[in-house]
């Protein structure tokens, strides 16, 4: 049996072309401007810096303006929070992204909680997490949203399917489980992690297996049921002196061994990663459109005097 390669690069490119057209219409309309994305990068870890460059390059290609706020590795949490408060208050900024991971001395939960939820294009703020869990409108985390859209692009049904997610991170595993449990998505979801006993027994029950555990080539052929769909979220740099870059990218799945057993599988690179970026830019348009937070002040309009509350205006009985 042969398998399909789920080409995230191609699907993302198609979505970015559509987004570019939508942005042209949006930004050209009366009283509108191009969306603006602020990206905060602390330190200059090579992988983080390269993700930030990839996001900004893709943004520019579709018509989203952006800036990188590049902060020193030893910046204090207070100072970082100061930048976030400034960007929250800046009506010219539609979306704010804090590139993760942050250095050890900074608590990422406090930093993310400081974001204006209406500008949280990564969908990590507790308000957006809560809205996802409850099935209310809000920003969805980019990688889980990208996985769902990639499967949709290949007409891979999730409704009624048994999905096993390997990894419980707040960035991928946990929000993906919540997304797939939504009414209308209707998957049956199991979340496993590095401390799950008899992991292979569970992964073998998956019709769709999503791997986001962060260990190179962790998933081997014995862990996958024949005919399964395998989504590899891992991006691991393995040092390889024979390579011009000095490293190769490998996923969390041993692709060579696993692919022949599957009905469909994502490659690394070129699978989930490009979809993540496409979803980020779609979220940024939605931030500019105030799609999920309609009462958030429009950045291209002056603040209007709030109408008095009915209870305050109405005479007491
Ligand atoms: C591709 C990320 C781990 C930790 C922090 C395209 C990306 C990656 C791969 C990318 C990732 C991974 C991002 C490919 C953003 C995905 O062609 O396969 C794009 O830029 N990603 C991130 O911002 O932070 C991470 C992985």
């Amino acid at each position: 049996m042969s398998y399909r390669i789920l080409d995230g690069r191609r699907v993302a490119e198609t979505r970015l072309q559509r987004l570019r057209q939508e942005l042209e219409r949006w930004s050209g309309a009366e009283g509108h401007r191009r969306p603006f994305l602020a990206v905060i990068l602390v330190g200059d870890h090579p992988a983080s810096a390269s993700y930030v460059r990839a996001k900004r390059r893709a943004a520019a290609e579709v018509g989203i303006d952006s800036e990188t706020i590049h902060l020193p590795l030893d910046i204090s949490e207070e100072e970082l929070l100061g930048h976030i408060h400034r960007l929250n208050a800046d009506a010219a900024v539609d979306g704010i992204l804090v590139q993760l991971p942050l250095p050890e001395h900074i608590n990422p939960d406090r930093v993310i909680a400081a974001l204006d939820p209406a500008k949280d294009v990564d969908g990590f703020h507790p308000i957006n997490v809560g809205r996802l869990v409850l099935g209310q409108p809000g920003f969805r985390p980019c990688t889980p949203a990208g996985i769902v859209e990639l499967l949709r692009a290949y007409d891979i049904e999730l409704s009624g399917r048994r999905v096993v997610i390997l990894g419980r991170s707040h960035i991928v595993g946990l929000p993906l489980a919540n997304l797939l449990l939504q009414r209308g998505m209707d998957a049956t979801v199991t979340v496993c992690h590095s401390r799950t006993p008899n992991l292979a027994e569970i992964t073998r029950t998956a019709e769709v297996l999503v791997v986001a555990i962060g260990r190179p080539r962790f998933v081997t052929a014995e862990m996958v049921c024949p005919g399964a769909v395998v989504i590899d979220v891992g991006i691991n740099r393995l040092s390889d002196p024979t390579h011009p870059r000095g490293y190769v990218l490998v996923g969390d799945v041993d692709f060579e061994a696993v692919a022949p057993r599957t009905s469909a599988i994502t490659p690394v690179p070129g699978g989930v990663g490009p979809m993540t970026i496409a979803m980020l830019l779609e979220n940024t348009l939605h931030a500019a459109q105030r799609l999920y937070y309609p009462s958030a002040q429009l950045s291209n309009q002056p603040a209007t005097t709030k109408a008095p509350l009915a209870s305050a205006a109405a005479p007491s009985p």
Side-chain angles (χ1 to χ4, degrees):
M1 273 300 288
S2 68
Y3 57 89
R4 284 194 286 176
I5 291 202
L6 307 177
D7 185 349
R9 204 170 275 150
R10 200 204 77 211
V11 174
E13 197 47 55
T14 302
R15 292 189 79 101
L16 290 174
Q17 277 170 24
R18 173 146 29 95
L19 179 59
R20 189 168 192 250
Q21 293 172 352
E22 282 173 35
L23 276 158
E24 220 167 281
R25 280 198 300 145
W26 171 261
S27 306
E30 174 87 24
H32 290 178
R33 51 161 178 72
R34 289 155 67 102
F36 191 94
L37 173 66
V39 182
I40 299 179
L41 173 62
V42 180
D44 42 23
H45 190 271
S48 292
S50 100
Y51 296 143
V52 167
R53 279 194 304 272
K55 291 169 188 180
R56 290 198 60 202
R57 190 186 320 120
E61 279 168 13
V62 298
I64 292 174
D65 293 333
S66 69
E67 75 172 319
T68 304
I69 295 128
H70 195 169
L71 304 172
L73 194 62
D74 64 354
I75 191 172
S76 70
E77 187 174 302
E78 302 316 305
E79 255 187 291
L80 174 53
L81 292 174
H83 283 278
I84 289 178
H85 294 142
R86 173 177 59 78
L87 296 167
N88 283 346
D90 187 342
V93 173
D94 299 297
I96 308 171
L97 176 166
V98 181
Q99 183 63 41
L100 300 177
L102 290 167
E104 282 288 335
H105 67 279
I106 297 177
N107 180 337
D109 292 341
R110 274 203 291 268
V111 172
I112 288 161
L115 294 169
D116 179 344
K119 299 188 179 188
D120 170 35
V121 288
D122 265 339
F124 295 157
H125 189 285
I127 290 278
N128 286 312
V129 176
R131 287 184 174 210
L132 166 61
V133 171
L134 296 173
Q136 297 166 4
F139 292 106
R140 301 302 192 233
C142 304
T143 300
I147 291 168
V148 167
E149 293 304 327
L150 182 59
L151 291 169
R152 186 169 290 156
Y154 282 91
D155 289 318
I156 295 173
E157 187 66 62
L158 283 164
S159 174
R161 282 290 186 77
R162 182 167 168 80
V163 180
V164 175
I165 300 169
L166 188 38
R168 56 177 160 178
S169 76
H170 294 176
I171 300 177
V172 183
L174 195 66
L176 177 63
N178 283 287
L179 201 53
L180 297 177
L181 288 170
Q182 293 292 302
R183 291 190 177 279
M185 300 287 304
D186 298 332
T188 299
V189 181
T190 301
V191 183
C192 322
H193 46 81
S194 55
R195 302 194 174 197
T196 301
N198 307 323
L199 205 53
E201 225 166 84
I202 299 167
T203 58
R204 271 199 300 263
T205 68
E207 296 174 287
V208 178
L209 177 63
V210 182
V211 190
I213 198 164
R215 298 194 196 173
R217 299 181 183 134
F218 180 82
V219 169
T220 53
E222 317 81 69
M223 298 171 74
V224 178
C225 171
V229 173
V230 174
I231 305 295
D232 187 353
V233 186
I235 303 275
N236 305 286
R237 288 187 176 194
L238 283 193
S239 85
D240 182 347
T242 72
H243 226 83
R245 278 188 261 99
Y247 65 88
V248 285
L249 288 182
V250 304
D252 292 351
V253 175
D254 182 351
F255 185 93
E256 294 299 312
V258 170
R261 278 178 88 92
T262 69
S263 59
I265 185 167
T266 59
V268 175
V272 174
M275 294 299 296
T276 297
I277 295 192
M279 295 301 111
L280 168 71
L281 302 180
E282 293 186 14
N283 279 353
T284 304
L285 170 60
H286 295 158
Q289 293 174 326
R290 305 302 186 264
L291 188 60
Y292 310 120
Y293 295 87
S295 59
Q297 194 203 307
L298 281 166
S299 57
N300 54 355
Q301 289 173 8
T304 53
T305 317
K306 281 248 171 69
L309 291 171
S311 59
S316 319

